[in-house]
Amino acid sequence: MDLEVRSVSKRFGATIALDNVNLKIASGTIHSLIGENGAGKSTLGKILSGVYQLDSGEVELAGQAVTIGSPREALSRGITIIAQELSLVPSRNAADNVYLGIEDHAGPWVRRGVIKDRFEELTNTSGIIVPNDRPVSALSIGDQQKVEILRALARNAEVIVMDEPTARLSVEETAVLKDVMRSLRNQGKTIIFVSHFLGDVLDVSDAITIMRDGKIIRTSKPSDETHDSLVEAMTGRKAGEAFPAKTPPNSPAPVLEVNGLTRGMQFADISFTVGAGEIVALAGLVGSGRSEVARAIYGADPFDSGEVKLQGSVIKISHPATAIENGIAMIPESRKDQGLILDRSIRENISLPYLKKLSQLLMKRREENSMVAENFAAAGIRALSSEMTVRSLSGGNQQKALFARSLAGHPTLFIADEPTRGVDVGSKRAIYELLADLARKGMAVLVISSELDEVVGLAHRVIVMQTGRIVAELVGDQISESAVVSAAFSMKQREGLAS
Ligand SMILES: Nc1ncnc2c1ncn2[C@@H]1O[C@H](COP(=O)(O)OP(=O)(O)OP(=O)(O)O)[C@@H](O)[C@H]1O
Ligand SMILES: [Mg+2]
């Protein structure tokens, strides 16, 4: 079922999200959409899947102009979307989630049996296997993603829009997902793949469409593109160095000192420091305990033993609010639960944690405005004004709003867990500059990242974790992708556990 978009435009107030877009998507292909944050990728995906309505233009399916007035209508025409944030019911198992809303209306036990049978058949025919014996909240993000895909298949979707499906996946999970995408394509399904991972895009696509400022720049075959040619078309600029030069920290004074931090099964005996002006990366496989350690330092989770010192004094942090008062800021891993208030303005989201402090000053509003303006610019948010709601921002710009909020408190220690997730290449570079600049000004920076190039490109020191313990520390020239990988996979820890 070929899909054609003709002269489609879409505005949100003064923002032109799509500007006279023309695009053909051939049936049975993987067609990627790439572009900087705010380029209009999600908007296009949402129009095709009935989440948004176009202002003008038309969509043709198999040569026929069609209306797509709602997600339900899109589905009846065989189109569905797997959105940037997953939408599963956490307490139910995979089969329940797959058939939610389309269950058979037979008696309760018959229904259970039918659902189970149909689920097994679906996993067999699609080759997409996920455990069904536990609530989906207990599944890895990769498996949750597969449940979303099974949901789409159970609804007989022929065209599946996947909006940044790999943004939260590990390298291994991404490889599995790409295989799933290929096998769906080989079964004749059409996949519209929105992603900032240009390597994956080049690897998996049959066609690539590059968007910029709501317009299509070009559609081409991956064999005619390179990473740099894509970057240049997306940004309109030559692709430069990916990372700023490293400035070695000159003050060894530790800002953060962690001694013997231990928490149940999650991590044990974690000791390290982060000095003023230093960027330290916590690396390791997903599940190695990196994020858990960061959350404990920040007071988002408790720990059993050990201590956290900030500028030489032991601090007791039982809540993120205390962390902020102590000069620690953190950008947590998942955008969804890091407390952006979607229907409030960017301004309110930036200043919210500091209102108490601000209101002690008489010049509250003026202080607030300059705090917001400064950090809005520093984080490189692309929006018409700071009065826009956070909901109206593209995914990557929401991430930058979080950055702005964290920086507004002038932290001495900045913890960034996957700081560039969902952020386009151009903005990634801007965030790297920002982190390097913060360090140069004397801030201690702790970065957690699953992207190896990011770890290697940014960090002065890399601490590698495995199953909840530190297994290696790499400094200066020792830092390379292969050194980090071999430490992350080394048998040291497993042997240690066995003995
Ligand atoms: N519901 C909305 N209300 C107002 N503006 C919106 C809304 N949705 C999107 N926009 C605006 O439309 C433009 C395109 O946004 P879109 O979400 O399509 O970008 P994107 O290419 O998916 O970016 P990202 O890579 O950051 O996800 C942006 O300027 C965004 O702020
Ligand atoms: Mg998007």
Side-chain angles (χ1 to χ4, degrees), residues 133 255 294 347:
D133 59 352
V255 170
R347 171 178 56 78

Side-chain angles (χ1 to χ4, degrees), residues 41-53 81 161 163:
K41 308 176 297 289
S42 296
T43 303
L44 184 55
K46 285 176 182 171
I47 284 177
L48 293 175
S49 55
V51 180
Y52 290 158
Q53 305 309 306
I81 187 168
V161 181
D163 198 348

Side-chain angles (χ1 to χ4, degrees), residues 381-424:
I381 300 173
R382 281 176 73 181
L384 293 175
S385 101
S386 57
E387 294 305 321
M388 287 177 68
T389 61
V390 166
R391 189 185 294 284
S392 71
L393 294 178
S394 73
N397 279 303
Q398 291 184 1
Q399 180 76 2
K400 293 180 217 163
L402 273 171
F403 240 91
R405 187 179 70 181
S406 310
L407 291 177
H410 296 292
T412 45
L413 171 66
F414 188 61
I415 307 174
D417 196 351
E418 306 288 358
T420 62
R421 183 166 281 168
V423 164
D424 67 60

Side-chain angles (χ1 to χ4, degrees), residues 216-232:
I216 305 278
I217 299 297
R218 66 171 173 263
T219 296
S220 50
K221 293 202 298 279
S223 53
D224 294 335
E225 300 282 0
T226 62
H227 183 275
D228 285 358
S229 71
L230 294 178
V231 171
E232 284 172 34

Side-chain angles (χ1 to χ4, degrees), residues 33-41 164 194-196 198 209-212 230 233-235 423-425:
L33 290 182
I34 64 168
E36 290 187 296
N37 296 133
K41 308 176 297 289
E164 292 192 44
V194 179
S195 178
H196 290 296
L198 302 180
T209 291
I210 306 158
M211 300 184 66
R212 193 200 310 158
L230 294 178
M234 280 166 63
T235 60
V423 164
D424 67 60
V425 264

